[in-house]
PDB file of all heavy atoms in Angstrom:
ATOM      1  N   GLY A  53      36.936 -40.184 -24.305  1.00  0.00           N
ATOM      2  CA  GLY A  53      37.990 -40.333 -25.298  1.00  0.00           C
ATOM      3  C   GLY A  53      38.002 -39.163 -26.267  1.00  0.00           C
ATOM      4  O   GLY A  53      39.068 -38.643 -26.633  1.00  0.00           O
ATOM      5  N   ASN A  54      36.835 -38.724 -26.695  1.00  0.00           N
ATOM      6  CA  ASN A  54      36.749 -37.556 -27.587  1.00  0.00           C
ATOM      7  C   ASN A  54      37.249 -36.306 -26.883  1.00  0.00           C
ATOM      8  O   ASN A  54      37.923 -35.445 -27.511  1.00  0.00           O
ATOM      9  CB  ASN A  54      35.302 -37.356 -28.064  1.00  0.00           C
ATOM     10  CG  ASN A  54      34.915 -38.351 -29.137  1.00  0.00           C
ATOM     11  OD1 ASN A  54      35.733 -38.774 -29.947  1.00  0.00           O
ATOM     12  ND2 ASN A  54      33.652 -38.747 -29.143  1.00  0.00           N
ATOM     13  N   ASP A  55      36.954 -36.160 -25.611  1.00  0.00           N
ATOM     14  CA  ASP A  55      37.468 -34.986 -24.855  1.00  0.00           C
ATOM     15  C   ASP A  55      39.000 -34.986 -24.792  1.00  0.00           C
ATOM     16  O   ASP A  55      39.636 -33.952 -24.925  1.00  0.00           O
ATOM     17  CB  ASP A  55      36.864 -34.983 -23.414  1.00  0.00           C
ATOM     18  CG  ASP A  55      35.407 -34.644 -23.402  1.00  0.00           C
ATOM     19  OD1 ASP A  55      34.880 -34.139 -24.408  1.00  0.00           O
ATOM     20  OD2 ASP A  55      34.768 -34.878 -22.322  1.00  0.00           O
ATOM     21  N   ILE A  56      39.575 -36.188 -24.585  1.00  0.00           N
ATOM     22  CA  ILE A  56      41.002 -36.310 -24.532  1.00  0.00           C
ATOM     23  C   ILE A  56      41.631 -35.945 -25.890  1.00  0.00           C
ATOM     24  O   ILE A  56      42.638 -35.206 -25.978  1.00  0.00           O
ATOM     25  CB  ILE A  56      41.455 -37.726 -24.086  1.00  0.00           C
ATOM     26  CG1 ILE A  56      41.070 -37.908 -22.591  1.00  0.00           C
ATOM     27  CG2 ILE A  56      42.940 -37.930 -24.319  1.00  0.00           C
ATOM     28  CD1 ILE A  56      41.217 -39.310 -22.098  1.00  0.00           C
ATOM     29  N   VAL A  57      41.043 -36.461 -26.970  1.00  0.00           N
ATOM     30  CA  VAL A  57      41.534 -36.145 -28.327  1.00  0.00           C
ATOM     31  C   VAL A  57      41.460 -34.643 -28.556  1.00  0.00           C
ATOM     32  O   VAL A  57      42.414 -34.042 -29.072  1.00  0.00           O
ATOM     33  CB  VAL A  57      40.731 -36.935 -29.371  1.00  0.00           C
ATOM     34  CG1 VAL A  57      41.035 -36.406 -30.778  1.00  0.00           C
ATOM     35  CG2 VAL A  57      41.048 -38.439 -29.283  1.00  0.00           C
ATOM     36  N   ASP A  58      40.349 -34.007 -28.174  1.00  0.00           N
ATOM     37  CA  ASP A  58      40.208 -32.566 -28.360  1.00  0.00           C
ATOM     38  C   ASP A  58      41.248 -31.804 -27.541  1.00  0.00           C
ATOM     39  O   ASP A  58      41.847 -30.856 -28.001  1.00  0.00           O
ATOM     40  CB  ASP A  58      38.794 -32.109 -27.959  1.00  0.00           C
ATOM     41  CG  ASP A  58      37.721 -32.577 -28.933  1.00  0.00           C
ATOM     42  OD1 ASP A  58      38.074 -32.978 -30.068  1.00  0.00           O
ATOM     43  OD2 ASP A  58      36.556 -32.560 -28.554  1.00  0.00           O
ATOM     44  N   MET A  59      41.441 -32.226 -26.298  1.00  0.00           N
ATOM     45  CA  MET A  59      42.388 -31.571 -25.428  1.00  0.00           C
ATOM     46  C   MET A  59      43.814 -31.681 -26.003  1.00  0.00           C
ATOM     47  O   MET A  59      44.555 -30.690 -26.013  1.00  0.00           O
ATOM     48  CB  MET A  59      42.362 -32.182 -24.010  1.00  0.00           C
ATOM     49  CG  MET A  59      43.266 -31.518 -23.047  1.00  0.00           C
ATOM     50  SD  MET A  59      43.108 -32.127 -21.343  1.00  0.00           S
ATOM     51  CE  MET A  59      42.751 -33.853 -21.508  1.00  0.00           C
ATOM     52  N   LEU A  60      44.156 -32.869 -26.432  1.00  0.00           N
ATOM     53  CA  LEU A  60      45.491 -33.056 -27.025  1.00  0.00           C
ATOM     54  C   LEU A  60      45.675 -32.178 -28.278  1.00  0.00           C
ATOM     55  O   LEU A  60      46.704 -31.578 -28.492  1.00  0.00           O
ATOM     56  CB  LEU A  60      45.757 -34.501 -27.345  1.00  0.00           C
ATOM     57  CG  LEU A  60      45.928 -35.429 -26.169  1.00  0.00           C
ATOM     58  CD1 LEU A  60      45.978 -36.893 -26.615  1.00  0.00           C
ATOM     59  CD2 LEU A  60      47.165 -35.077 -25.343  1.00  0.00           C
ATOM     60  N   GLY A  61      44.628 -32.110 -29.093  1.00  0.00           N
ATOM     61  CA  GLY A  61      44.663 -31.258 -30.288  1.00  0.00           C
ATOM     62  C   GLY A  61      44.867 -29.814 -29.902  1.00  0.00           C
ATOM     63  O   GLY A  61      45.614 -29.073 -30.567  1.00  0.00           O
ATOM     64  N   ASN A  62      44.170 -29.351 -28.878  1.00  0.00           N
ATOM     65  CA  ASN A  62      44.336 -27.978 -28.422  1.00  0.00           C
ATOM     66  C   ASN A  62      45.717 -27.679 -27.878  1.00  0.00           C
ATOM     67  O   ASN A  62      46.171 -26.548 -27.909  1.00  0.00           O
ATOM     68  CB  ASN A  62      43.276 -27.617 -27.330  1.00  0.00           C
ATOM     69  CG  ASN A  62      41.873 -27.580 -27.886  1.00  0.00           C
ATOM     70  OD1 ASN A  62      41.674 -27.375 -29.067  1.00  0.00           O
ATOM     71  ND2 ASN A  62      40.900 -27.778 -27.028  1.00  0.00           N
ATOM     72  N   LEU A  63      46.398 -28.720 -27.404  1.00  0.00           N
ATOM     73  CA  LEU A  63      47.755 -28.555 -26.930  1.00  0.00           C
ATOM     74  C   LEU A  63      48.788 -28.702 -28.023  1.00  0.00           C
ATOM     75  O   LEU A  63      50.002 -28.636 -27.779  1.00  0.00           O
ATOM     76  CB  LEU A  63      48.054 -29.600 -25.823  1.00  0.00           C
ATOM     77  CG  LEU A  63      47.247 -29.429 -24.502  1.00  0.00           C
ATOM     78  CD1 LEU A  63      47.466 -30.609 -23.613  1.00  0.00           C
ATOM     79  CD2 LEU A  63      47.633 -28.124 -23.853  1.00  0.00           C
ATOM     80  N   GLY A  64      48.307 -28.927 -29.246  1.00  0.00           N
ATOM     81  CA  GLY A  64      49.216 -29.035 -30.363  1.00  0.00           C
ATOM     82  C   GLY A  64      49.687 -30.433 -30.673  1.00  0.00           C
ATOM     83  O   GLY A  64      50.532 -30.637 -31.553  1.00  0.00           O
ATOM     84  N   VAL A  65      49.141 -31.437 -29.986  1.00  0.00           N
ATOM     85  CA  VAL A  65      49.537 -32.823 -30.225  1.00  0.00           C
ATOM     86  C   VAL A  65      48.725 -33.348 -31.395  1.00  0.00           C
ATOM     87  O   VAL A  65      47.484 -33.229 -31.427  1.00  0.00           O
ATOM     88  CB  VAL A  65      49.280 -33.686 -28.985  1.00  0.00           C
ATOM     89  CG1 VAL A  65      49.598 -35.140 -29.271  1.00  0.00           C
ATOM     90  CG2 VAL A  65      50.097 -33.162 -27.789  1.00  0.00           C
ATOM     91  N   LYS A  66      49.381 -33.905 -32.373  1.00  0.00           N
ATOM     92  CA  LYS A  66      48.666 -34.463 -33.539  1.00  0.00           C
ATOM     93  C   LYS A  66      48.242 -35.912 -33.209  1.00  0.00           C
ATOM     94  O   LYS A  66      49.083 -36.781 -33.024  1.00  0.00           O
ATOM     95  CB  LYS A  66      49.565 -34.468 -34.784  1.00  0.00           C
ATOM     96  CG  LYS A  66      48.892 -35.039 -36.014  1.00  0.00           C
ATOM     97  CD  LYS A  66      49.458 -34.444 -37.245  1.00  0.00           C
ATOM     98  CE  LYS A  66      48.907 -35.073 -38.496  1.00  0.00           C
ATOM     99  NZ  LYS A  66      47.465 -34.956 -38.652  1.00  0.00           N
ATOM    100  N   VAL A  67      46.947 -36.081 -33.097  1.00  0.00           N
ATOM    101  CA  VAL A  67      46.381 -37.420 -32.816  1.00  0.00           C
ATOM    102  C   VAL A  67      46.026 -38.072 -34.124  1.00  0.00           C
ATOM    103  O   VAL A  67      45.368 -37.472 -34.996  1.00  0.00           O
ATOM    104  CB  VAL A  67      45.103 -37.264 -31.926  1.00  0.00           C
ATOM    105  CG1 VAL A  67      44.489 -38.629 -31.650  1.00  0.00           C
ATOM    106  CG2 VAL A  67      45.437 -36.541 -30.619  1.00  0.00           C
ATOM    107  N   PRO A  68      46.474 -39.307 -34.320  1.00  0.00           N
ATOM    108  CA  PRO A  68      46.173 -40.006 -35.575  1.00  0.00           C
ATOM    109  C   PRO A  68      44.682 -40.053 -35.895  1.00  0.00           C
ATOM    110  O   PRO A  68      43.867 -40.207 -34.955  1.00  0.00           O
ATOM    111  CB  PRO A  68      46.733 -41.405 -35.369  1.00  0.00           C
ATOM    112  CG  PRO A  68      47.741 -41.265 -34.268  1.00  0.00           C
ATOM    113  CD  PRO A  68      47.248 -40.140 -33.412  1.00  0.00           C
ATOM    114  N   GLU A  69      44.335 -39.902 -37.135  1.00  0.00           N
ATOM    115  CA  GLU A  69      42.938 -39.915 -37.562  1.00  0.00           C
ATOM    116  C   GLU A  69      42.270 -41.234 -37.203  1.00  0.00           C
ATOM    117  O   GLU A  69      41.065 -41.301 -36.910  1.00  0.00           O
ATOM    118  CB  GLU A  69      42.869 -39.706 -39.083  1.00  0.00           C
ATOM    119  CG  GLU A  69      41.465 -39.578 -39.626  1.00  0.00           C
ATOM    120  CD  GLU A  69      40.719 -38.329 -39.121  1.00  0.00           C
ATOM    121  OE1 GLU A  69      41.384 -37.332 -38.806  1.00  0.00           O
ATOM    122  OE2 GLU A  69      39.463 -38.373 -39.098  1.00  0.00           O
ATOM    123  N   ALA A  70      43.059 -42.317 -37.144  1.00  0.00           N
ATOM    124  CA  ALA A  70      42.505 -43.612 -36.812  1.00  0.00           C
ATOM    125  C   ALA A  70      41.886 -43.619 -35.390  1.00  0.00           C
ATOM    126  O   ALA A  70      40.927 -44.339 -35.155  1.00  0.00           O
ATOM    127  CB  ALA A  70      43.615 -44.682 -36.874  1.00  0.00           C
ATOM    128  N   VAL A  71      42.421 -42.818 -34.489  1.00  0.00           N
ATOM    129  CA  VAL A  71      41.860 -42.753 -33.132  1.00  0.00           C
ATOM    130  C   VAL A  71      40.465 -42.157 -33.173  1.00  0.00           C
ATOM    131  O   VAL A  71      39.522 -42.709 -32.601  1.00  0.00           O
ATOM    132  CB  VAL A  71      42.789 -41.913 -32.225  1.00  0.00           C
ATOM    133  CG1 VAL A  71      42.117 -41.687 -30.851  1.00  0.00           C
ATOM    134  CG2 VAL A  71      44.132 -42.571 -32.040  1.00  0.00           C
ATOM    135  N   SER A  72      40.286 -41.077 -33.915  1.00  0.00           N
ATOM    136  CA  SER A  72      38.967 -40.454 -34.031  1.00  0.00           C
ATOM    137  C   SER A  72      38.008 -41.374 -34.757  1.00  0.00           C
ATOM    138  O   SER A  72      36.815 -41.483 -34.383  1.00  0.00           O
ATOM    139  CB  SER A  72      39.047 -39.116 -34.774  1.00  0.00           C
ATOM    140  OG  SER A  72      39.818 -38.196 -34.040  1.00  0.00           O
ATOM    141  N   GLU A  73      38.471 -42.062 -35.811  1.00  0.00           N
ATOM    142  CA  GLU A  73      37.628 -42.970 -36.529  1.00  0.00           C
ATOM    143  C   GLU A  73      37.206 -44.141 -35.632  1.00  0.00           C
ATOM    144  O   GLU A  73      36.053 -44.586 -35.735  1.00  0.00           O
ATOM    145  CB  GLU A  73      38.343 -43.476 -37.785  1.00  0.00           C
ATOM    146  CG  GLU A  73      38.526 -42.386 -38.837  1.00  0.00           C
ATOM    147  CD  GLU A  73      39.374 -42.840 -40.017  1.00  0.00           C
ATOM    148  OE1 GLU A  73      39.876 -43.987 -40.010  1.00  0.00           O
ATOM    149  OE2 GLU A  73      39.583 -42.008 -40.924  1.00  0.00           O
ATOM    150  N   THR A  74      38.131 -44.629 -34.835  1.00  0.00           N
ATOM    151  CA  THR A  74      37.793 -45.746 -33.915  1.00  0.00           C
ATOM    152  C   THR A  74      36.742 -45.276 -32.926  1.00  0.00           C
ATOM    153  O   THR A  74      35.776 -46.005 -32.630  1.00  0.00           O
ATOM    154  CB  THR A  74      39.060 -46.218 -33.191  1.00  0.00           C
ATOM    155  OG1 THR A  74      39.983 -46.688 -34.167  1.00  0.00           O
ATOM    156  CG2 THR A  74      38.747 -47.318 -32.204  1.00  0.00           C
ATOM    157  N   LEU A  75      36.932 -44.095 -32.317  1.00  0.00           N
ATOM    158  CA  LEU A  75      35.963 -43.584 -31.392  1.00  0.00           C
ATOM    159  C   LEU A  75      34.591 -43.403 -32.045  1.00  0.00           C
ATOM    160  O   LEU A  75      33.554 -43.709 -31.442  1.00  0.00           O
ATOM    161  CB  LEU A  75      36.427 -42.230 -30.796  1.00  0.00           C
ATOM    162  CG  LEU A  75      37.545 -42.322 -29.777  1.00  0.00           C
ATOM    163  CD1 LEU A  75      38.127 -40.960 -29.496  1.00  0.00           C
ATOM    164  CD2 LEU A  75      37.066 -43.022 -28.511  1.00  0.00           C
ATOM    165  N   ASN A  76      34.575 -42.963 -33.308  1.00  0.00           N
ATOM    166  CA  ASN A  76      33.331 -42.830 -34.031  1.00  0.00           C
ATOM    167  C   ASN A  76      32.627 -44.193 -34.218  1.00  0.00           C
ATOM    168  O   ASN A  76      31.416 -44.321 -34.006  1.00  0.00           O
ATOM    169  CB  ASN A  76      33.541 -42.190 -35.386  1.00  0.00           C
ATOM    170  CG  ASN A  76      32.273 -41.894 -36.120  1.00  0.00           C
ATOM    171  OD1 ASN A  76      31.273 -41.490 -35.525  1.00  0.00           O
ATOM    172  ND2 ASN A  76      32.286 -42.173 -37.435  1.00  0.00           N
ATOM    173  N   GLY A  77      33.415 -45.208 -34.566  1.00  0.00           N
ATOM    174  CA  GLY A  77      32.842 -46.566 -34.765  1.00  0.00           C
ATOM    175  C   GLY A  77      32.310 -47.113 -33.463  1.00  0.00           C
ATOM    176  O   GLY A  77      31.210 -47.681 -33.425  1.00  0.00           O
ATOM    177  N   VAL A  78      33.056 -46.956 -32.383  1.00  0.00           N
ATOM    178  CA  VAL A  78      32.604 -47.447 -31.090  1.00  0.00           C
ATOM    179  C   VAL A  78      31.364 -46.704 -30.649  1.00  0.00           C
ATOM    180  O   VAL A  78      30.428 -47.272 -30.085  1.00  0.00           O
ATOM    181  CB  VAL A  78      33.746 -47.312 -30.000  1.00  0.00           C
ATOM    182  CG1 VAL A  78      33.229 -47.650 -28.622  1.00  0.00           C
ATOM    183  CG2 VAL A  78      34.908 -48.206 -30.380  1.00  0.00           C
ATOM    184  N   SER A  79      31.306 -45.415 -30.963  1.00  0.00           N
ATOM    185  CA  SER A  79      30.133 -44.602 -30.633  1.00  0.00           C
ATOM    186  C   SER A  79      28.881 -45.150 -31.337  1.00  0.00           C
ATOM    187  O   SER A  79      27.799 -45.235 -30.750  1.00  0.00           O
ATOM    188  CB  SER A  79      30.356 -43.167 -31.061  1.00  0.00           C
ATOM    189  OG  SER A  79      29.191 -42.379 -30.874  1.00  0.00           O
ATOM    190  N   GLN A  80      29.004 -45.532 -32.594  1.00  0.00           N
ATOM    191  CA  GLN A  80      27.872 -46.093 -33.330  1.00  0.00           C
ATOM    192  C   GLN A  80      27.381 -47.389 -32.680  1.00  0.00           C
ATOM    193  O   GLN A  80      26.193 -47.633 -32.561  1.00  0.00           O
ATOM    194  CB  GLN A  80      28.253 -46.318 -34.761  1.00  0.00           C
ATOM    195  CG  GLN A  80      28.454 -45.048 -35.542  1.00  0.00           C
ATOM    196  CD  GLN A  80      28.909 -45.291 -36.965  1.00  0.00           C
ATOM    197  OE1 GLN A  80      28.729 -46.360 -37.532  1.00  0.00           O
ATOM    198  NE2 GLN A  80      29.515 -44.285 -37.573  1.00  0.00           N
ATOM    199  N   VAL A  81      28.321 -48.245 -32.251  1.00  0.00           N
ATOM    200  CA  VAL A  81      27.958 -49.506 -31.593  1.00  0.00           C
ATOM    201  C   VAL A  81      27.242 -49.213 -30.264  1.00  0.00           C
ATOM    202  O   VAL A  81      26.193 -49.802 -29.972  1.00  0.00           O
ATOM    203  CB  VAL A  81      29.220 -50.370 -31.358  1.00  0.00           C
ATOM    204  CG1 VAL A  81      28.879 -51.576 -30.473  1.00  0.00           C
ATOM    205  CG2 VAL A  81      29.813 -50.808 -32.659  1.00  0.00           C
ATOM    206  N   MET A  82      27.770 -48.299 -29.506  1.00  0.00           N
ATOM    207  CA  MET A  82      27.196 -47.979 -28.203  1.00  0.00           C
ATOM    208  C   MET A  82      25.821 -47.347 -28.348  1.00  0.00           C
ATOM    209  O   MET A  82      24.898 -47.628 -27.566  1.00  0.00           O
ATOM    210  CB  MET A  82      28.120 -47.081 -27.384  1.00  0.00           C
ATOM    211  CG  MET A  82      29.424 -47.732 -26.980  1.00  0.00           C
ATOM    212  SD  MET A  82      29.149 -49.282 -26.048  1.00  0.00           S
ATOM    213  CE  MET A  82      30.492 -50.250 -26.643  1.00  0.00           C
ATOM    214  N   ASN A  83      25.648 -46.502 -29.342  1.00  0.00           N
ATOM    215  CA  ASN A  83      24.318 -45.911 -29.617  1.00  0.00           C
ATOM    216  C   ASN A  83      23.318 -46.994 -29.948  1.00  0.00           C
ATOM    217  O   ASN A  83      22.166 -46.957 -29.530  1.00  0.00           O
ATOM    218  CB  ASN A  83      24.376 -44.894 -30.755  1.00  0.00           C
ATOM    219  CG  ASN A  83      24.823 -43.545 -30.293  1.00  0.00           C
ATOM    220  OD1 ASN A  83      24.514 -43.091 -29.188  1.00  0.00           O
ATOM    221  ND2 ASN A  83      25.567 -42.846 -31.145  1.00  0.00           N
ATOM    222  N   GLY A  84      23.769 -47.996 -30.709  1.00  0.00           N
ATOM    223  CA  GLY A  84      22.899 -49.117 -31.043  1.00  0.00           C
ATOM    224  C   GLY A  84      22.490 -49.909 -29.799  1.00  0.00           C
ATOM    225  O   GLY A  84      21.351 -50.261 -29.645  1.00  0.00           O
ATOM    226  N   LEU A  85      23.471 -50.162 -28.908  1.00  0.00           N
ATOM    227  CA  LEU A  85      23.168 -50.894 -27.684  1.00  0.00           C
ATOM    228  C   LEU A  85      22.200 -50.123 -26.784  1.00  0.00           C
ATOM    229  O   LEU A  85      21.369 -50.697 -26.125  1.00  0.00           O
ATOM    230  CB  LEU A  85      24.445 -51.182 -26.909  1.00  0.00           C
ATOM    231  CG  LEU A  85      25.293 -52.311 -27.479  1.00  0.00           C
ATOM    232  CD1 LEU A  85      26.639 -52.388 -26.719  1.00  0.00           C
ATOM    233  CD2 LEU A  85      24.570 -53.647 -27.410  1.00  0.00           C
ATOM    234  N   GLU A  86      22.339 -48.803 -26.786  1.00  0.00           N
ATOM    235  CA  GLU A  86      21.414 -47.968 -25.961  1.00  0.00           C
ATOM    236  C   GLU A  86      19.971 -48.134 -26.417  1.00  0.00           C
ATOM    237  O   GLU A  86      19.069 -47.958 -25.621  1.00  0.00           O
ATOM    238  CB  GLU A  86      21.815 -46.514 -26.038  1.00  0.00           C
ATOM    239  CG  GLU A  86      22.973 -46.104 -25.192  1.00  0.00           C
ATOM    240  CD  GLU A  86      23.251 -44.632 -25.266  1.00  0.00           C
ATOM    241  OE1 GLU A  86      23.375 -44.053 -26.359  1.00  0.00           O
ATOM    242  OE2 GLU A  86      23.344 -44.038 -24.209  1.00  0.00           O
ATOM    243  N   SER A  87      19.769 -48.435 -27.695  1.00  0.00           N
ATOM    244  CA  SER A  87      18.397 -48.423 -28.219  1.00  0.00           C
ATOM    245  C   SER A  87      17.849 -49.810 -28.547  1.00  0.00           C
ATOM    246  O   SER A  87      16.775 -49.941 -29.124  1.00  0.00           O
ATOM    247  CB  SER A  87      18.356 -47.555 -29.468  1.00  0.00           C
ATOM    248  OG  SER A  87      19.140 -48.086 -30.496  1.00  0.00           O
ATOM    249  N   ILE A  88      18.574 -50.844 -28.190  1.00  0.00           N
ATOM    250  CA  ILE A  88      18.132 -52.206 -28.496  1.00  0.00           C
ATOM    251  C   ILE A  88      16.959 -52.626 -27.663  1.00  0.00           C
ATOM    252  O   ILE A  88      16.901 -52.318 -26.471  1.00  0.00           O
ATOM    253  CB  ILE A  88      19.307 -53.190 -28.340  1.00  0.00           C
ATOM    254  CG1 ILE A  88      20.161 -53.232 -29.562  1.00  0.00           C
ATOM    255  CG2 ILE A  88      18.828 -54.589 -27.966  1.00  0.00           C
ATOM    256  CD1 ILE A  88      21.327 -54.180 -29.517  1.00  0.00           C
ATOM    257  N   ILE A  89      16.063 -53.348 -28.269  1.00  0.00           N
ATOM    258  CA  ILE A  89      14.955 -54.033 -27.541  1.00  0.00           C
ATOM    259  C   ILE A  89      15.070 -55.511 -27.935  1.00  0.00           C
ATOM    260  O   ILE A  89      14.957 -55.832 -29.094  1.00  0.00           O
ATOM    261  CB  ILE A  89      13.571 -53.495 -27.982  1.00  0.00           C
ATOM    262  CG1 ILE A  89      13.479 -51.999 -27.680  1.00  0.00           C
ATOM    263  CG2 ILE A  89      12.478 -54.249 -27.253  1.00  0.00           C
ATOM    264  CD1 ILE A  89      12.245 -51.372 -28.278  1.00  0.00           C
ATOM    265  N   TRP A  90      15.287 -56.370 -26.950  1.00  0.00           N
ATOM    266  CA  TRP A  90      15.322 -57.789 -27.246  1.00  0.00           C
ATOM    267  C   TRP A  90      13.917 -58.353 -27.209  1.00  0.00           C
ATOM    268  O   TRP A  90      13.128 -58.052 -26.304  1.00  0.00           O
ATOM    269  CB  TRP A  90      16.156 -58.544 -26.161  1.00  0.00           C
ATOM    270  CG  TRP A  90      17.597 -58.167 -26.219  1.00  0.00           C
ATOM    271  CD1 TRP A  90      18.172 -57.081 -25.642  1.00  0.00           C
ATOM    272  CD2 TRP A  90      18.651 -58.883 -26.854  1.00  0.00           C
ATOM    273  NE1 TRP A  90      19.522 -57.053 -25.902  1.00  0.00           N
ATOM    274  CE2 TRP A  90      19.828 -58.159 -26.613  1.00  0.00           C
ATOM    275  CE3 TRP A  90      18.688 -60.048 -27.581  1.00  0.00           C
ATOM    276  CZ2 TRP A  90      21.056 -58.576 -27.113  1.00  0.00           C
ATOM    277  CZ3 TRP A  90      19.924 -60.475 -28.075  1.00  0.00           C
ATOM    278  CH2 TRP A  90      21.078 -59.720 -27.853  1.00  0.00           C
ATOM    279  N   SER A  91      13.584 -59.198 -28.152  1.00  0.00           N
ATOM    280  CA  SER A  91      12.251 -59.803 -28.140  1.00  0.00           C
ATOM    281  C   SER A  91      12.278 -61.149 -28.852  1.00  0.00           C
ATOM    282  O   SER A  91      13.259 -61.491 -29.477  1.00  0.00           O
ATOM    283  CB  SER A  91      11.242 -58.863 -28.806  1.00  0.00           C
ATOM    284  OG  SER A  91      11.656 -58.568 -30.132  1.00  0.00           O
ATOM    285  N   MET A  92      11.222 -61.854 -28.684  1.00  0.00           N
ATOM    286  CA  MET A  92      11.082 -63.177 -29.285  1.00  0.00           C
ATOM    287  C   MET A  92       9.953 -63.184 -30.292  1.00  0.00           C
ATOM    288  O   MET A  92       8.896 -62.555 -30.032  1.00  0.00           O
ATOM    289  CB  MET A  92      10.799 -64.249 -28.225  1.00  0.00           C
ATOM    290  CG  MET A  92      11.859 -64.472 -27.232  1.00  0.00           C
ATOM    291  SD  MET A  92      12.989 -65.681 -27.880  1.00  0.00           S
ATOM    292  CE  MET A  92      13.938 -66.036 -26.425  1.00  0.00           C
TER     293      MET A  92
END
Side-chain angles (χ1 to χ4, degrees):
N54 284 327
D55 289 345
I56 291 169
V57 168
D58 290 343
M59 183 175 33
L60 290 173
N62 291 337
L63 293 172
V65 177
K66 180 153 176 59
V67 178
E69 186 66 27
V71 173
S72 295
E73 290 173 0
T74 300
L75 286 169
N76 184 42
V78 173
S79 175
Q80 291 176 21
V81 171
M82 294 304 145
N83 277 325
L85 285 172
E86 281 183 308
S87 64
I88 275 180
I89 300 171
W90 292 83
S91 57
M92 295 273 193

